[in-house]
Structures are given as structure tokens and as C-alpha cells.
């Protein structure tokens, strides 16, 4: 992984995902769920929750870029425009800074909806190796560190 | 709603919620799901996804503080320490700035896990009234604004 490396993935959210997100998080905002309410709002029909769309970053970071075992440290999100179910979205992650030795990576994170920026932001992650346990001989006196992300 | 107003809510996440989050987002990080993998990691057992825990802010903003119809605009999250299923968490939202006329609210958002800060951050939201549609007479020439959050 190097500075300026880019990973892109096309995706969309469905009404079913929005319902599932609402059920599992308790976010019952009518702006996401209630077509009647939305008739009286500028967006006209229900829009996807920003946190649901943004979970694509969690997915990509955890599975592809950098990959399994990565630890999420920071995420900034600016929800710039509404996303409707079925909109064709492209998530883009770009390596902004990387310290391979310390295992720290900063990423620019954006989601485009056609030509419009839907989400812009940035993430910081630790590579999986940072939290791997040392061999048993080295494990003494490390128990206090179990509850902290700091390295 | 006034500057310094605070809303707090106790919650926890379950292993079932982590599985549901993984299914609906595709975040299959072994750090959240695989006890065997976690034996080799400093946290020892699976930890909750930061984005899942942080969805408590989406829930509270959308249902209580400010309430239904609120539009999420920005969220910064710093995931400071691991959260395990069943940990007793307290989400705290405090009004940092408010412009009632423009309908803009800035919030400090934190999650405590006992005495430890698990998540710190900040959010910006628009009050529901900002995106309410004007009466039909005033709706002419507003169609271009339907795809934008800017007000």
C-alpha cells in the first residue's frame, strides 16, 4: 500500500437495507422511512441514512483496502447531498499518508452519486499487524494495554 | 434547544447486532466476528464495529435530540478504545452551537464505556424545518434545489 493508491467500488442502497438499518440501529427518522412525511420535504421521497451509506467505508477498509484485521481509528463524514434508494454510487478511498512501520494509514474517503459528491471525508486506520499479540514470552506486563487503542 | 443542552442515553451492543450489522453492511472484519482470530490480537475477543456503536448518534439525533426530521450534515468520530458486546455505554450529545433562525445545530458527541472514552466526536445537523417544502405558491423555481443540502 502506497501514498496515492486508490480503491473504488460501485454500490447502491435498497429500501430493504434502509429498513434493516432502521431496525438494527433504532434510527426511525421519517425522512428515511415515511413517504407521506417526505412529500412535505424538499427531497420529496425517502432518502438513505448518511451513516448507512458511509458504512461502505467500514466494509472496504475491513475487507479490501487495507483488508481484514484493520482497526478503524477515525472517520470524518460530510453528507453533502441526498442519496435515494437505487442511486448508483461510487465509493473511493485514496491513501493520503502511510507509515508502514507504525502501521498507520490516512485515507481520503468520498462517495459520488453520478457527478455529485454525496459524501466527502477522511479516515485513519491501524494496519492489522499493530494489534497482533506478541509471542507468549513477550506477553508479560501487556495486560494494561488490552483496553486501549493507543500504540 | 439551547447551547449547553445535554442528552444522555445508556445502551449496549449485542453479538446479534454485530452479526446483523455485518450482514447488512458487508463489514466481515474478523476482529468483530471471529473469536479464533481474536485470540491472536491484543483485544482477545471480538470487538464491536465503531460505525455500529456510532449509529447511536444517528438514532438519538433522528428521534430525540433534536428529533424526527432532522437532517444529518457532518459527523466526526474518533474511536478511542475497544467496545465489547454487552459493555454498558453512555452516549452523550451536547449542543455546542445553535442558530435557531438558520436551523443549524453543532453537537459534541461522545460515548463513554464506564470511565473510559470509547468514542469522541462532533456532529452538525439541520433542524427539520430547514427542508420543509414551502406552500405551493412559493414552490416555483425550487426544483433545482431538490438535489442539494445547501440552504
Amino acid at each position: 500500500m502506497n501514498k496515492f493508491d486508490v480503491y473504488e467500488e460501485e454500490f447502491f442502497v435498497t429500501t430493504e437495507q434502509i429498513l434493516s438499518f432502521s431496525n438494527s440501529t433504532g434510527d426511525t427518522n421519517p425522512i428515511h422511512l415515511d413517504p407521506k412525511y417526505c412529500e412535505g420535504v424538499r427531497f420529496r421521497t425517502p432518502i438513505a441514512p448518511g451513516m448507512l451509506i458511509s458504512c461502505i467505508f467500514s466494509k472496504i477498509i475491513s475487507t479490501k483496502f487495507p483488508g481484514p484485521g484493520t482497526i478503524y481509528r477515525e472517520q470524518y463524514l460530510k453528507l453533502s447531498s441526498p442519496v435515494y434508494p437505487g442511486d448508483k454510487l461510487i465509493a473511493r478511498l485514496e491513501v493520503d499518508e502511510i507509515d508502514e512501520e507504525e502501521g498507520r494509514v490516512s485515507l481520503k474517503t468520498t462517495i459520488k452519486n453520478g457527478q455529485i459528491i454525496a459524501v466527502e471525508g477522511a479516515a485513519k486506520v491501524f494496519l492489522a499487524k499493530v494489534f497482533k499479540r506478541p509471542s507468549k514470552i513477550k506477553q508479560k506486563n501487556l495486560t494494561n494495554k488490552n483496553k486501549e487503542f493507543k500504540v
Side-chain angles (χ1 to χ4, degrees), chain A:
Chain A
M1 201 170 212
N2 297 294
K3 189 169 162 71
F4 304 127
D5 279 0
V6 169
Y7 179 89
E8 287 191 340
E9 187 169 312
E10 199 179 300
F11 72 110
F12 59 94
V13 295
T14 64
T15 299
E16 292 67 33
Q17 277 177 296
I18 296 173
L19 288 170
S20 167
F21 178 84
S22 173
N23 283 333
S24 61
T25 64
D27 177 350
T28 56
N29 201 333
I31 200 82
H32 307 310
L33 300 169
D34 184 347
K36 191 80 191 162
Y37 174 87
C38 290
E39 283 176 14
V41 178
R42 204 187 295 163
F43 311 127
R44 309 288 178 112
T45 58
I47 62 172
M51 288 295 275
L52 170 60
I53 312 157
S54 302
C55 280
I56 191 72
F57 300 133
S58 189
K59 175 199 167 189
I60 292 172
I61 286 167
S62 292
T63 58
K64 305 275 177 153
F65 193 80
T70 304
I71 303 291
Y72 224 150
R73 174 62 164 166
E74 286 181 58
Q75 179 70 59
Y76 167 69
L77 300 166
K78 183 170 181 179
L79 308 164
S80 303
S81 61
V83 168
Y84 295 88
D87 282 357
K88 196 171 125 181
L89 308 171
I90 294 175
R92 184 179 200 277
L93 288 80
E94 180 183 334
V95 178
D96 194 31
E97 286 179 48
I98 181 161
D99 182 332
E100 193 74 53
E101 200 170 322
E102 293 284 324
R104 295 166 190 267
V105 183
S106 298
L107 300 158
K108 291 181 194 169
T109 59
T110 53
I111 297 172
K112 282 187 87 171
N113 186 358
Q115 292 306 306
I116 300 167
I117 301 272
V119 181
E120 49 196 314
K124 292 187 181 179
V125 304
F126 291 123
L127 298 177
K129 66 175 185 180
V130 176
F131 287 90
K132 285 281 166 69
R133 286 167 73 192
S135 68
K136 288 200 174 172
I137 294 161
K138 293 182 188 169
Q139 274 178 34
K140 288 175 188 169
N141 304 320
L142 276 179
T143 44
N144 285 340
K145 288 194 176 174
N146 290 346
K147 286 287 276 183
E148 289 179 31
F149 274 174
K150 290 191 183 72
V151 289

